[in-house]
Amino acid sequence: MEAFLVSTGIVALAEMGDKTQLLSLVLAARFRKPWPIVLGIFVATVVNHGLAGAVGSWVNAMIGPDAMRWILGLSFIAMAVWMLIPDKLEDDEVAGHSRWGVFGTTVMAFFLAEMGDKTQIATVMLAAQYNAYLWVVLGTTLGMMLANAPVVWLGDKLVKKVPIRLVHVISALIFLVLGVVALFATGVPGLA
């Protein structure tokens, strides 16, 4: 259960102000059909995070506990730094996909936008740390939906009321704490 809750919270916070949240806003403004957009976000996230969780589980199985502790610790600290760098949405990430309809465009755009994104990397790291594939993927998917679905329905009203910089700093601090714990707390349950 810890893997689910931590994964949900980490991704929901990491997603605030992320390019996929901006993509949600762009898709909502462009198509004005929230249900196919939200369903597309869900499908793309399940597939993307399912693959990322599988990579994290594989890494956990292939690397020894001491090496895993250092890899996870340094990766979480790197994520803390990355959280402080604002994302930008590239104009071509949405263009050219409308022939697939609202749902298809959303699935493709979200899947591609998530490749190498903070939340995908976090999913790999969390799956490697907790060795609880299903709970991590469910948690990161829920976190993604908690951050993006309201944006589709409420648009920029919601985004303007949330202090994105503060959310990024809080997320960075959480990643930093996870990194320090992974590096220096030997024998902590949930760590490789």
Side-chain angles (χ1 to χ4, degrees), residues 12-24:
L13 283 172
E15 189 62 17
M16 298 302 283
D18 190 73
K19 70 180 173 184
T20 46
Q21 192 176 50
L22 299 174
L23 180 59
S24 299

Side-chain angles (χ1 to χ4, degrees), residues 63-155:
I63 296 176
D66 288 333
M68 179 61 76
R69 184 169 56 90
W70 282 97
I71 290 168
L72 286 172
L74 295 174
S75 296
F76 278 125
I77 291 169
M79 283 294 291
V81 173
W82 193 6
M83 284 305 307
L84 300 175
I85 301 169
D87 275 331
K88 294 179 182 134
L89 181 64
E90 302 294 328
D91 291 335
D92 61 341
E93 288 189 54
V94 180
H97 298 293
S98 62
R99 66 181 168 268
W100 295 326
V102 177
F103 174 77
T105 298
T106 302
V107 170
M108 290 304 296
F110 251 80
F111 184 82
L112 294 174
E114 269 296 292
M115 296 304 289
D117 194 53
K118 289 175 217 162
T119 51
Q120 185 189 43
I121 304 301
T123 302
V124 171
M125 294 183 329
L126 289 163
Q129 177 181 356
Y130 286 105
N131 197 22
Y133 172 81
L134 181 63
W135 290 113
V136 168
V137 172
L138 289 174
T140 59
T141 299
L142 178 60
M144 182 70 87
M145 298 310 294
L146 289 172
N148 288 303
V151 171
V152 173
W153 279 295
L154 302 175

Side-chain angles (χ1 to χ4, degrees), residues 48 121 184:
N48 194 293
I121 304 301
F184 298 109

